[in-house]
Amino acid sequence: MSEPIKVVVTGAAGQIAYSLLYMIANGDVFGKNQKIILTLLDIPPMMGVLEGVVMELSDCAFTLLTEVIPTTDVAVAFKDVSVVFLVGAMPRREGMERKDLLSANVKIFKVQGEALNTYAKKDVKVLVVGNPANTNALICSHYAPSIPKENFTAMTRLDQNRACAQIAQKVGSDITKVKNLFIWGNHSATQFPDCSNGTVDGKPVTDLVDASYLENEFVTTVQKRGAAVIAARKMSSAMSAAKAAADHVRDWWIGTQSGNYVSMGVVTPKDNPYNVPEGIVFSFPVEIKNKQWSIVPGFKINDFARSKLDITTKELLEEKEEAMAVCNADAKI
Ligand code: NAX
């Protein structure tokens, strides 16, 4: 057994956390030999609900949990933390403009970024799930300058898992045989789920499925899957989102297998192999070794894919500009 690590989940009284906490405490993310101090952050009105979650965690009798700390205080939550799942965010309410949503979230992710900067370990790994996930991750990193930008990532793994499931069903394959389908760009309706480098049992997806399906129905099905779940369940994706968050952090912690890449939203470095502008949080295919991700170069980007990458890049640049305007206005107060 290794020394316990401190893990924080924000939005801990919410529906994604309800599934995610089980997976973390059960050893599905950090392995069956890693003890965990689990810290649960939510806002004051949710403390009653959170108490119930704490009771249930206790009643699960998880052998890996050494302590569970419910709190509303970011300083308590982030002190010496090793891994953070930022799940809590301001939801979009009816009639809310995108600008208002971004502005409400800038406030949340500014406070959390500053607290991470002050209290967290400098090698803390941060996954942002709360929407708009990519831009929230960017803001959080902006307010945590003492922590490397590489340590802030946004979740597009749910979109990748959805894409793999669609292809597995389409060709009638076991999902374990589907590899290297990637999500490019934003976790939003402009994301580009891309099969052009994917394989099923070693055969190119493009040889198994016709191009018109891959460029049309497949793309829109993945882009709109979240809305389809809401329409059916009357609530947004939760179990699948939690599973994706667990997959994302497990791969970051343990590493990816050779030749089997995953999608992660990362702060774009200056010289990235796909010519995406520097300084936005963009989803790329990455591989992970020794807890460090790197963008996998060399995947083919045809004209269709490039046009899709341009659309999602434009949206992310606009989100960044709007969010930074809120940050700058805030700085002047
Ligand atoms: P819930 O509304 O069930 O839970 C959110 C929780 O966050 C609530 O308990 C709320 O009190 C808490 N919260 C709000 N502000 C907070 C703050 N400042 N500090 C700590 N906690 C705070 O939402 P849930 O279904 O769990 O979804 C959480 C987020 O995930 C949403 O923003 C949602 O849009 C986003 N999603 C992101 C996905 C992705 O692939 N990146 C997919 C699933 C999901 O839609």
Side-chain angles (χ1 to χ4, degrees), residues 11 14-16 42-43 46 87-89 108 112 129-131 155 187 241:
Q15 55 152 2
I16 293 177
D42 213 297
I43 52 176
M46 297 307 287
V87 180
I108 293 176
Q112 297 186 347
V129 175
N131 279 321
M155 187 167 96
H187 167 70

Side-chain angles (χ1 to χ4, degrees), residues 45-58:
M46 297 307 287
M47 280 303 106
V49 174
L50 199 56
E51 233 173 79
V53 175
V54 173
M55 285 184 221
E56 284 212 67
L57 283 167
S58 165

Side-chain angles (χ1 to χ4, degrees), residues 171 173-179 198-205 208:
V171 303
S173 159
D174 183 316
I175 196 149
T176 58
K177 301 204 164 80
V178 182
K179 308 260 189 249
T199 56
V200 179
D201 207 10
K203 298 184 199 80
V205 173
L208 302 170

Side-chain angles (χ1 to χ4, degrees), residues 259-286:
N260 195 8
Y261 309 120
V262 294
S263 308
M264 271 169 64
V266 300
V267 182
T268 49
K270 188 157 182 267
D271 295 313
N272 63 79
Y274 298 100
N275 295 324
V276 175
E278 186 187 2
I280 51 177
V281 172
F282 194 93
S283 179
F284 292 98
V286 302

Side-chain angles (χ1 to χ4, degrees), residues 191-229:
Q191 65 174 270
F192 175 46
D194 179 17
C195 284
S196 47
N197 302 285
T199 56
V200 179
D201 207 10
K203 298 184 199 80
V205 173
T206 47
D207 287 356
L208 302 170
V209 184
D210 84 39
S212 131
Y213 169 81
L214 293 178
E215 290 187 358
N216 296 291
E217 194 183 330
F218 167 74
V219 172
T220 49
T221 301
V222 177
Q223 287 174 336
K224 295 182 181 162
R225 186 67 164 183
V229 170

Side-chain angles (χ1 to χ4, degrees), residues 14-303:
Q15 55 152 2
I16 293 177
Y18 194 71
S19 293
L20 177 60
L21 294 172
Y22 178 91
M23 295 176 204
I24 297 170
N26 197 41
D28 299 346
V29 180
F30 302 102
K32 301 284 181 189
N33 292 317
Q34 179 61 63
K35 294 231 177 215
I36 288 161
I37 301 165
L38 194 49
T39 305
L40 313 177
L41 182 76
D42 213 297
I43 52 176
M46 297 307 287
M47 280 303 106
V49 174
L50 199 56
E51 233 173 79
V53 175
V54 173
M55 285 184 221
E56 284 212 67
L57 283 167
S58 165
D59 297 346
C60 285
F62 288 116
T63 53
L64 295 174
L65 273 193
T66 58
E67 201 181 343
V68 177
I69 307 169
T71 183
T72 57
D73 183 347
V74 285
V76 172
F78 295 147
K79 179 86 186 127
D80 297 330
V81 65
S82 293
V83 179
V84 182
F85 295 79
L86 294 179
V87 180
M90 174 65 76
R92 190 170 201 149
R93 302 228 158 80
E94 229 181 314
M96 206 177 197
E97 301 277 333
R98 193 173 81 165
K99 206 158 66 111
D100 302 332
L101 180 74
L102 272 169
S103 155
N105 277 296
V106 165
K107 293 195 178 80
I108 293 176
F109 286 85
K110 175 184 180 195
V111 169
Q112 297 186 347
E114 287 172 343
L116 285 165
N117 197 47
T118 309
Y119 300 108
K121 290 189 168 180
K122 294 302 170 204
D123 63 352
V124 64
K125 310 256 173 297
V126 182
L127 166 64
V128 179
V129 175
N131 279 321
N134 298 50
T135 299
N136 287 343
L138 188 70
I139 297 304
C140 199
S141 148
H142 177 77
Y143 285 106
S146 68
I147 298 168
K149 294 209 175 315
E150 292 75 22
N151 297 20
F152 293 84
T153 61
M155 187 167 96
T156 52
R157 185 62 171 269
L158 175 55
D159 307 299
Q160 180 186 308
N161 287 349
R162 287 167 171 165
C164 290
Q166 289 300 317
I167 293 299
Q169 279 166 30
K170 182 81 178 167
V171 303
S173 159
D174 183 316
I175 196 149
T176 58
K177 301 204 164 80
V178 182
K179 308 260 189 249
N180 295 339
L181 306 192
F182 308 126
I183 305 300
W184 300 90
N186 202 0
H187 167 70
S188 76
T190 67
Q191 65 174 270
F192 175 46
D194 179 17
C195 284
S196 47
N197 302 285
T199 56
V200 179
D201 207 10
K203 298 184 199 80
V205 173
T206 47
D207 287 356
L208 302 170
V209 184
D210 84 39
S212 131
Y213 169 81
L214 293 178
E215 290 187 358
N216 296 291
E217 194 183 330
F218 167 74
V219 172
T220 49
T221 301
V222 177
Q223 287 174 336
K224 295 182 181 162
R225 186 67 164 183
V229 170
I230 295 176
R233 215 171 79 88
K234 315 291 176 235
M235 284 195 286
S236 55
S237 307
M239 178 170 51
S240 55
K243 162 69 166 49
D247 287 347
H248 178 120
V249 173
R250 183 202 57 232
D251 287 344
W252 201 357
W253 196 255
I254 291 168
T256 48
Q257 287 168 6
S258 166
N260 195 8
Y261 309 120
V262 294
S263 308
M264 271 169 64
V266 300
V267 182
T268 49
K270 188 157 182 267
D271 295 313
N272 63 79
Y274 298 100
N275 295 324
V276 175
E278 186 187 2
I280 51 177
V281 172
F282 194 93
S283 179
F284 292 98
V286 302
E287 65 180 330
I288 301 155
K289 286 189 191 131
N290 303 321
K291 299 188 170 56
Q292 307 286 327
W293 56 260
S294 57
I295 298 171
V296 184
F299 286 117
K300 54 180 186 252
I301 304 284
N302 60 22
D303 290 349

